[in-house]
Amino acid sequence: MSVRRVAIETLYHGLYDGPHATPKPSEDGPVFLGIGNITEDGKLDLHDVRHIAEEDYPSWTKRVTPRPGDIVFTYEATLNRYAIIPEGFRGCLGRRTALIRPNPDAVNSRFLFFYFFCEDWRKTISENILSGATVDRIPLTRFPTFPVTLPERAIQDSIATILSAYDDLIENNTRRIKILEELAQMLYREWFVTFRFPGHQKVKMVESELGPIPEGWNVEPLAEVYKTGSGGTPSRKIPSYYGGAIPWVKTQELQDGFIHNTDEKITEEGLKNSSAKLHPPGAVLMAMYGATIGKLGMLALPATCNQACCALTPKEPHFGSEYIFLALLNRRTDILALRMGAAQQNISQEVIKAFPLMRPNTDVMDRFNETVKPLMALIGLLQAKNSNLRTTRDLLLPKLISGEIPVEAAAELVEQTA
């Protein structure tokens, strides 16, 4: 099979970066595409967007107007996120985002998109990262020279079809996860916001600091019900602290779901010689600093985290991880109202400890756990399956390019996986 190494600039019509400013707020209008709208798994998440006013749109698209098929990516702060602009999108690039417009005569654009997730490209990026005082960035001036390993066009087309099938499986699971998440959140709100829990008709309401609550329930500081702990960052100056087997969570990995893997792992030596602590499966992590304040993650495996995370673990069996996860998710606005600091907003662990938490009686909690635990467990299983599918997809690409795995065999593997 013919394979060649080419500069990426030979595969696109243009490379464009976004504006280095932020528009005035607008309640509606075109999308101002930010880092947070590009997910780690290569999708655009437009549920929470910043808008620009219609009259300002022309001035924010002077450099480029994103169009379907363009590949948008992050080049500063949070790196290595890529997504394809879909049909119907209307907006502009935001800060720290850029896009390339693939040349369909030079490359299958979906092949190129998948290539950005393989180890070969990630290695190229890591070798070219510029580390600044506050954030890392990909130098766009050097980006056009970055090499891409390119097989012949027929193989590109086959690879794109095979890997797109993996994406379809992931998308189907994602839809199921969304439904289950909505069910779990609806259940929480039904029982603990509108108080329509089983037997609620026989319980009178009494006043509390959170408003009327059922008699026999209490409001207590979070620390009375859950243990809190923080993390730490092993010294970057000692290479032997990194590259081990212990997952190390950073705040950008908190995406309101289960955490099955991490970008970085540390060694036993790194854990021992830092303030990082190992937290058990089921621990709920919450971001305490920066743009991700209030974001949550539930550990699916033993892991540690950096100092920008707060770990919450149950003190008693009636109040499990599912309850605190859903409670904090539902009350995120209350959490964000407690932010402090101007340049770097944060929430201290002491503030989290004192956060008022509703404590239902144990009979209600036991019935709630019987219902919600299977829902959350299924969400975790589907997210784990998606994680494995992404890993398989990304590992397949170099083997398909090299011919180590024939495309016919890979196509059969997809059918078996489905």
Side-chain angles (χ1 to χ4, degrees):
M1 181 173 62
S2 174
V3 176
R4 56 197 175 97
R5 196 87 161 149
V6 301
I8 193 171
E9 65 180 342
T10 65
L11 305 179
Y12 58 68
H13 287 305
L15 165 67
Y16 311 90
D17 67 333
H20 298 194
T22 303
K24 63 184 181 184
S26 177
E27 292 186 4
D28 53 26
V31 173
F32 186 75
L33 195 61
I35 288 178
N37 300 123
I38 306 173
T39 69
E40 288 185 84
D41 59 348
K43 305 293 182 185
L44 279 191
D45 181 355
L46 302 178
H47 290 99
D48 184 15
V49 299
R50 175 190 288 269
H51 294 281
I52 55 177
E54 195 65 52
E55 61 268 22
D56 294 332
Y57 185 54
S59 63
W60 289 91
T61 51
K62 284 182 178 178
R63 295 184 186 181
V64 65
T65 301
R67 65 190 192 197
D70 290 345
I71 301 176
V72 63
F73 65 96
T74 58
Y75 69 87
E76 195 170 72
T78 302
L79 307 181
N80 272 329
R81 292 193 178 187
Y82 305 86
I84 297 176
I85 297 293
E87 292 288 342
F89 176 84
R90 187 164 184 270
C92 71
L93 292 175
R95 295 184 63 200
R96 297 172 169 174
T97 63
L99 69 76
I100 60 171
R101 183 158 291 157
N103 177 0
D105 294 328
V107 67
N108 180 303
S109 59
R110 285 202 68 82
F111 167 85
L112 183 59
F113 168 71
F114 288 125
Y115 186 82
F116 290 144
F117 293 88
C118 78
E119 187 60 31
D120 188 30
W121 178 260
R122 298 296 170 114
K123 182 181 178 183
T124 296
I125 293 296
S126 66
E127 290 172 348
N128 286 276
I129 287 175
L130 297 179
S131 296
T134 55
V135 296
D136 293 341
R137 63 185 176 89
I138 300 170
L140 294 184
T141 53
R142 295 210 298 265
F143 184 92
T145 66
F146 291 175
V148 171
T149 301
L150 199 67
E152 57 196 55
R153 185 55 179 259
I155 298 299
Q156 291 178 42
D157 296 343
S158 296
I159 290 174
T161 298
I162 291 167
L163 299 187
S164 291
Y166 275 92
D167 262 12
D168 291 342
L169 292 173
I170 291 169
E171 186 61 32
N172 287 337
N173 286 338
T174 300
R175 282 195 289 268
R176 293 179 63 193
I177 289 167
K178 181 173 174 49
I179 292 170
L180 291 167
E181 288 175 338
E182 289 173 350
L183 283 173
Q185 292 170 30
M186 184 173 63
L187 180 69
Y188 175 87
R189 290 191 295 268
E190 184 81 358
W191 287 37
F192 306 121
V193 178
T194 60
F195 302 113
R196 290 196 291 266
F197 54 89
H200 71 278
Q201 301 92 336
K202 300 177 183 179
V203 181
K204 72 176 184 178
M205 304 296 285
V206 296
E207 285 299 322
S208 78
E209 65 177 286
L210 294 179
I213 63 172
E215 188 175 38
W217 296 19
N218 297 311
V219 175
E220 298 180 358
L222 184 149
E224 292 293 317
V225 190
Y226 292 88
K227 293 182 288 186
T228 66
S230 188
T233 301
S235 174
R236 292 285 187 182
K237 296 179 181 178
I238 304 178
S240 61
Y241 287 177
Y242 290 86
I246 302 171
W248 184 64
V249 182
K250 293 169 286 191
T251 53
Q252 58 263 41
E253 295 173 283
L254 303 182
Q255 298 294 324
D256 295 338
F258 284 83
I259 297 172
H260 299 276
N261 203 356
T262 55
D263 289 339
E264 290 188 271
K265 293 180 172 62
I266 62 174
T267 61
E268 291 283 353
E269 183 187 4
L271 178 64
K272 181 180 178 181
N273 292 288
S274 71
S275 57
K277 302 173 183 64
L278 195 62
H279 303 294
V284 174
L285 304 183
M286 183 172 74
M288 300 191 296
Y289 296 96
T292 56
I293 286 179
K295 282 286 188 178
L296 303 171
M298 188 183 294
L299 295 181
L301 72 177
T304 185
C305 59
N306 68 11
Q307 63 272 23
C309 299
C310 178
L312 307 167
T313 52
K315 284 187 173 182
E316 53 187 274
H318 301 291
F319 292 85
S321 303
E322 295 81 8
Y323 178 70
I324 190 61
F325 181 89
L326 292 168
L328 293 175
L329 193 65
N330 186 73
R331 295 182 60 195
R332 179 168 285 153
T333 301
D334 296 338
I335 292 287
L336 295 177
L338 300 174
R339 290 175 292 186
M340 299 177 292
Q344 174 78 319
Q345 290 199 318
N346 66 88
I347 298 176
S348 71
Q349 196 167 156
E350 293 306 311
V351 169
I352 295 172
K353 287 180 178 181
F355 188 72
L357 184 69
M358 189 162 52
R359 183 185 179 119
N361 64 48
T362 55
D363 288 342
V364 169
M365 285 306 305
D366 287 343
R367 296 188 69 175
F368 176 73
N369 290 331
E370 287 175 7
T371 307
V372 79
K373 281 181 179 292
L375 285 178
M376 295 294 285
L378 184 51
I379 290 171
L381 286 173
L382 289 171
Q383 289 180 342
K385 187 174 183 180
N386 272 359
S387 179
N388 291 334
L389 286 169
R390 291 185 193 101
T391 299
T392 302
R393 177 195 66 191
D394 299 341
L395 290 176
L396 263 180
L397 180 57
K399 296 181 184 297
L400 291 170
I401 291 175
S402 67
E404 181 180 341
I405 295 179
V407 291
E408 297 81 4
E412 290 179 7
L413 180 61
V414 174
E415 292 180 6
Q416 295 169 8
T417 302

